[in-house]
Amino acid sequence: MQEKIKALIQNQTWDLVPRPTIENIVGSKGVFKTKLKEDGTVDRYEAQLVARGFSQIPGLDFGETFSPVIKHTTIRLIISLTATLGWTIRQLDVKNAFLHGFLKEKLFMEQPLGFINEDLLNHVYKLNRSLYGLNKL
């Protein structure tokens, strides 16, 4: 989870701001998965920070839902480069593709458990970019 939080901070996904009095604030949750190899042994552990978008208010926090995804032309370019340069692809994993979706709305999220800034306990994240779990434009 530390790696995911670091990536979110580097991509300026949020700003830590004082808690607003009249805005809706969504929660956050860590989702953890264990990826297994074909033989059933542990391959790796994955973590993801998701927003609890079910607490968003339609018309206030979002209009219609949309999820940005990687473009097929980008994947084709990568595959083309590997063929041209004689590389081999075993797996193509796109990390943090959702981070490139900027938000038009003003959305606030609680600091995630385990990553709360002890000096700014009454602050929340003002989201600049989208997160998994959000209903967004």
Side-chain angles (χ1 to χ4, degrees):
M1 183 59 81
Q2 290 176 343
E3 180 182 319
K4 295 294 182 179
I5 296 288
K6 184 179 176 182
L8 292 167
I9 291 168
Q10 287 175 342
N11 284 292
Q12 300 175 344
T13 306
W14 56 62
D15 296 314
L16 194 57
V17 299
R19 180 180 298 272
T21 55
I22 58 171
E23 298 288 339
N24 184 35
I25 300 170
V26 297
S28 62
K29 178 181 179 180
V31 176
F32 303 92
K33 291 183 182 178
T34 303
K35 297 289 185 167
L36 302 176
K37 296 179 184 178
E38 290 180 14
D39 63 2
T41 60
V42 174
D43 183 30
R44 66 184 184 279
Y45 299 102
E46 287 190 357
Q48 187 66 52
L49 177 67
V50 298
R52 294 182 169 202
F54 58 82
S55 63
Q56 288 179 266
I57 301 169
L60 176 65
D61 293 330
F62 70 97
E64 28 181 300
T65 59
F66 169 76
S67 293
V69 295
I70 190 166
K71 294 182 179 180
H72 293 286
T73 53
T74 305
I75 293 174
R76 282 193 292 256
L77 174 66
I78 292 170
I79 293 172
S80 173
L81 281 172
T82 58
T84 303
L85 299 172
W87 299 343
T88 51
I89 295 179
R90 292 196 185 116
Q91 179 178 340
L92 181 63
D93 188 12
V94 180
K95 289 187 174 187
N96 302 324
F98 66 93
L99 293 175
H100 301 292
F102 285 97
L103 295 174
K104 297 176 184 175
E105 318 74 8
K106 199 186 298 185
L107 284 173
F108 297 90
M109 184 179 78
E110 297 285 353
Q111 296 183 58
L113 291 175
F115 296 93
I116 296 173
N117 186 323
E118 296 295 327
D119 297 329
L120 304 169
L121 292 174
N122 201 32
H123 282 54
V124 294
Y125 292 142
K126 180 186 175 297
L127 298 177
N128 301 320
R129 296 177 181 250
S130 58
L131 284 177
Y132 286 119
L134 285 178
N135 294 305
K136 51 203 165 287
L137 286 173

